[in-house]
Amino acid sequence: QVQVVESGGGSVQPGGSLRLSCAASGIIFSAYTMAWYRQAPGKQRELVARIFSDDSIVYADSVKGRFTISRDNAKNMLYLQMNSLEPEDTAVYYCDANRFSISYWGQGTQVTVSS
C-alpha cells in the first residue's frame, strides 16, 4: 500500500522560512520522480519544484532562488526548504510521487504567510 504524507506546514510572517517534509512508503522511492505542488484558494494546482531520480531539478520561476527541493533516498523522504516567504506563497502544498505517469498524492499541508 502506497502512502505519501506531508508535514511541516504552518503560519509564518513574510520573509520567514519553513521546511516541508514528505514521507513516502510502499514504493521504490529512489526510482520515483518526486515533486511539490501547491494550490491556493480559487486557483489551479501548480508545480512548485520537481526532482528526478537522477537528482536533476526543476523549479517554478516564482520560487527560484527562494525554495530548495531535496530528497533522501535512504529515508524515503522529500523536502522543500522555503525561504523569503511571501503572502503569494500561501497555499496547500502537496507531495507527488510519480513513475510511469502514475501519481500518488499526499493529503496536503497548509502554508500561510501573513503579517
Side-chain angles (χ1 to χ4, degrees), residues 14-42:
S17 298
L18 281 175
R19 189 194 195 204
L20 304 184
S21 299
C22 170
S25 59
I27 60 173
I28 304 173
F29 183 83
S30 60
Y32 275 68
T33 295
M34 300 298 298
W36 289 99
Y37 285 77
R38 67 187 181 187
Q39 187 166 18

Side-chain angles (χ1 to χ4, degrees), residues 4-6 20-22 34-40 45-49 78 80 91-97 104-111:
V4 177
V5 180
E6 303 94 338
L20 304 184
S21 299
C22 170
M34 300 298 298
W36 289 99
Y37 285 77
R38 67 187 181 187
Q39 187 166 18
R45 190 173 297 190
E46 62 175 3
L47 175 69
V48 175
L78 177 73
L80 185 69
V92 178
Y93 283 71
Y94 296 91
C95 176
D96 169 56
Y104 299 100
W105 293 91
Q107 81 291 344
T109 186
Q110 176 70 47
V111 171

Side-chain angles (χ1 to χ4, degrees), residues 51-110:
I51 183 167
F52 295 88
S53 57
D54 65 358
D55 286 338
S56 58
I57 291 171
V58 174
Y59 290 104
D61 287 344
S62 60
V63 307
K64 281 181 181 176
R66 301 188 298 122
F67 290 11
T68 302
I69 189 172
S70 61
R71 66 192 298 164
D72 185 335
N73 290 337
K75 296 181 179 179
N76 284 14
M77 294 291 296
L78 177 73
Y79 304 102
L80 185 69
Q81 178 65 43
M82 305 187 294
N83 299 328
S84 302
L85 282 161
E86 304 168 351
E88 293 73 23
D89 297 317
T90 295
V92 178
Y93 283 71
Y94 296 91
C95 176
D96 169 56
N98 184 281
R99 191 181 186 201
F100 303 136
S101 299
I102 298 174
S103 273
Y104 299 100
W105 293 91
Q107 81 291 344
T109 186
Q110 176 70 47

